[in-house]
Amino acid sequence: MPDTVLTHPPLHPTTARRRRRHPKGPGEQTWVREILSYLAAALPPGTSAAARLLALQCALRMNTKMHIRLPNGVLRSLRLNAVQDPWRELEHARWLRITPATAANEVVAELLDAALLGQAPARPDRMRAADWALRASSSSTARAIGPLPQLASAYLAAHADPQDGSGLGELDQMAHACGVPLTELPTLLDQLAATGLLRSWQACPDSGDLHWTLAYGW
């Protein structure tokens, strides 16, 4: 018998063309993908999407001493500037420690996960990857519907073909990276498609394969 397939129909082509072009950058895309994979294993399973978004930016922006100065502008782009819980979550998980800031427009922290030093490229490359991840996760549509769609958008973009926006992955890996139960992933993907962030998606529960196409051009 054929595998059962869950699908979401494509958006109208004109709708897809109106979407913002996604920034190119296969090197940055690879680094974001690798850090997302690392964080999926390093952070506690119950870590929220907001905390994971924050951890992604911290991991990519840290210096060689594992210190991070995160400007409020980055937090505003992620709509995390007025939210303290993600910082508290990461502190509680002993992943970072907030330290006194010397300026009012930034948050300063020390990362405590020493293994990160072996997980990322040189700092200029990481900074470019951090900007890439910020753009991938901070579209106006994703921000309007919350941290989880933002994180999912970054994940799907990082795992998609940079030429046509198509992607192939595994359902359980995406659920693990986004910190959501596997059973809730179809609802999340439907939400991304309904709001125009995905052109289409298709999942095969028997094999665990997930196929998708991003709704914007590359």
Side-chain angles (χ1 to χ4, degrees):
M1 293 181 65
D3 290 341
T4 302
V5 174
L6 305 176
T7 63
H8 192 287
L11 292 176
H12 191 278
T14 57
T15 302
R17 284 197 296 269
R18 286 198 297 267
R19 299 294 169 194
R20 175 177 60 87
R21 287 186 62 83
H22 196 280
K24 294 183 179 180
E28 289 84 350
Q29 180 185 17
T30 298
W31 297 323
V32 171
R33 182 167 64 243
E34 290 179 353
I35 292 297
L36 282 170
S37 178
Y38 177 78
L39 292 175
L43 294 175
T47 303
S48 71
R52 291 174 188 273
L53 277 174
L54 183 59
L56 176 62
Q57 287 296 317
C58 288
L60 290 169
R61 294 176 185 271
M62 71 177 186
N63 63 21
T64 55
K65 295 181 180 179
M66 298 187 66
H67 293 167
I68 173 71
R69 293 182 178 274
L70 204 60
N72 284 345
V74 171
L75 297 173
R76 283 195 298 270
S77 294
L78 295 171
R79 288 200 173 177
L80 298 178
N81 56 307
V83 179
Q84 291 298 317
D85 286 346
W87 293 104
R88 294 195 186 102
E89 271 192 76
L90 295 176
E91 278 196 306
H92 183 71
R94 297 182 180 179
W95 194 80
L96 59 71
R97 177 172 55 242
I98 298 176
T99 58
T102 57
N105 63 345
E106 65 182 11
V107 178
V108 180
E110 177 186 1
L111 304 191
L112 304 177
D113 184 359
L116 278 170
L117 291 172
Q119 298 295 324
R123 191 163 189 254
D125 295 329
R126 287 191 283 107
M127 292 296 290
R128 287 193 294 271
D131 289 338
W132 190 98
L134 184 64
R135 292 191 293 269
S137 59
S138 61
S139 71
S140 58
T141 302
R143 284 185 297 168
I145 51 180
L148 181 54
Q150 287 178 267
L151 179 61
S153 294
Y155 179 91
L156 293 169
H159 290 77
D161 187 305
Q163 300 302 317
D164 62 12
S166 64
L168 170 63
E170 297 181 14
L171 287 164
D172 59 348
Q173 288 184 355
M174 181 177 178
H176 188 44
C178 293
V180 298
L182 185 60
T183 55
E184 295 180 13
L185 198 54
T187 300
L188 174 60
L189 292 165
D190 272 341
Q191 184 181 28
L192 293 176
T195 53
L197 292 168
L198 274 181
R199 181 181 299 173
S200 63
W201 70 272
Q202 176 176 302
C204 178
D206 291 338
S207 67
D209 289 341
L210 172 64
H211 302 255
W212 70 89
T213 304
L214 302 175
Y216 39 74
W218 284 64

